[in-house]
Amino acid sequence: MKSPLGLSADLPVADLVSEAVALLWSKRAAVIKMFLPAMLILALVDWSSSTFLAENNYAGQFGFLIVSILLSVVFATSCHRFTLLPQDKWDANALHGMRREEFRYLLRGLLLGVIGAVVFFCTMLVAMLFIGQEEAWLGAVAGVLPALYIWSRLSITLPELALGQKSDLKRAWSLSEGNGSRLVLVVFIVPIALASPFLALFMLDHSVLSYVAAFGTYITSLISLVMLSLSYRFLLDFYEPQAAENEQEYQPAETSVKQQDSGFDA
């Protein structure tokens, strides 16, 4: 994609990280009010599933997984709106139940997961035809790289879905053109690096530390979601400045549903 002046944008990843942290810190009172209870509950759900359920209790684990996914979608969409909308619209778009935007977000996330899995396994199988099964780990590495690349590029418009706007995979691919490797940093590498201290706590196999670890990963998830939102806004401001102005006019689904067509397109 090119800007109206024929230029291409390069995501400033380091600046996005610092801006995300600065935004959350400067708005920390609102962040605590809006997201702390959700992060505590999400951590409790994950902690409870690993503490009170046996690993072979598949029905129970699946139930906890569904609850965690639905809460995570509500958490993510609210975080995108917190980042991208003016402050006077935060209360109207704070944490709530599953609405049309959340279902679209969920379906798009599932679709990206399927695409990533297909790319991973196909690439791994092709790689193993050349290197042999004895070097299967190399095939796995070969499969992970393109899967992460494609997943990261297609995820750039998830914030757009959270704002109640339609956005297909073609648009995501076009908007992220030339920034695939940078988006891998934004979507995967930097979030994993930020979460690594908390992920290490899981290895200690201590009940209290496991809860702290789960809570810490959601703190880093909050930073990651803000980074993705800022990346989307950076590219939108560069390529489609008029659309960037229009996105500020988002209204809650309860008041805008009559103005939009129905359906949960992914």
Side-chain angles (χ1 to χ4, degrees), residues 216-259:
T217 56
Y218 283 109
I219 294 178
T220 59
S221 296
L222 181 62
I223 299 174
S224 304
L225 290 166
V226 172
M227 287 172 52
L228 180 59
S229 300
L230 294 175
S231 300
Y232 162 74
R233 187 174 67 185
F234 177 89
L235 295 174
L236 196 68
D237 286 344
F238 193 89
Y239 292 125
E240 303 175 10
Q242 184 59 46
E245 295 179 6
N246 293 338
E247 77 174 11
Q248 302 296 322
E249 300 176 0
Y250 170 85
Q251 295 178 339
E254 288 81 2
T255 60
S256 63
V257 64
K258 294 182 180 180
Q259 303 174 9

Side-chain angles (χ1 to χ4, degrees), residues 121-137:
F121 285 111
C122 290
T123 306
M124 183 179 66
L125 291 175
V126 171
M128 290 177 63
L129 291 177
F130 292 95
I131 62 178
Q133 295 185 0
E134 64 277 1
E135 299 291 345
W137 68 274

